[in-house]
Amino acid sequence: QVQVVESGGGLVQFGGSLRLSCAASGSGFSFYDMGWYRQAPGQQRELVATSSSGGGTNYADSVKGRFTISRDSAKNTCYLQMNSLKPEDTAVYYCKIVASRGGYTRQYWGQGTQVTVSS
């Protein structure tokens, strides 16, 4: 089975920064696309940023220029550097990883990490 563990959330003031980490593990699995999503209270889960195994990245318009996604493929780890944080960035942030083993590919989600930005 695949384990996805996020860390790095917390409380930060308006304009501050946080760095989230997401570590994936699983014997015999290959890891491909990695991404961050967030869900605020009463809202649907939305895409924040994704990183493909080929090196491409994609960002939500609301975070472009402020957030940066990166990955260390050797460690099966994905990061989200969040700068110039705003109260509207407050949400639970989830990591999603696409993994494959034995020709079977599926998505795996972490448990989420809370990010709270105070005004």
Side-chain angles (χ1 to χ4, degrees):
Q1 191 57 284
V2 172
Q3 285 192 321
V4 181
V5 180
E6 302 110 331
S7 61
L11 174 64
V12 65
Q13 289 187 332
F14 177 85
S17 298
L18 282 175
R19 188 190 193 212
L20 305 183
S21 298
C22 171
S25 61
S27 178
F29 281 89
S30 297
F31 300 99
Y32 298 100
D33 294 356
M34 296 181 170
W36 291 94
Y37 295 73
R38 67 187 181 187
Q39 187 167 19
Q43 303 293 320
Q44 290 188 332
R45 191 172 297 187
E46 63 176 5
L47 178 148
V48 176
T50 61
S51 172
S52 73
S53 56
T57 58
N58 182 48
Y59 295 91
D61 288 343
S62 59
V63 306
K64 283 181 181 177
R66 300 188 298 123
F67 291 10
T68 302
I69 189 170
S70 61
R71 62 192 289 166
D72 183 337
S73 295
K75 297 181 180 179
N76 297 324
T77 301
C78 179
Y79 305 97
L80 185 68
Q81 178 67 43
M82 305 185 294
N83 299 327
S84 302
L85 283 161
K86 306 174 182 179
E88 51 263 44
D89 294 317
T90 295
V92 178
Y93 284 69
Y94 297 91
C95 178
K96 185 184 79 172
I97 292 179
V98 176
S100 177
R101 185 176 71 179
Y104 182 65
T105 301
R106 59 162 288 186
Q107 301 173 352
Y108 297 87
W109 291 88
Q111 80 287 352
T113 184
Q114 177 71 46
V115 171
T116 303
V117 184
S118 63
S119 58

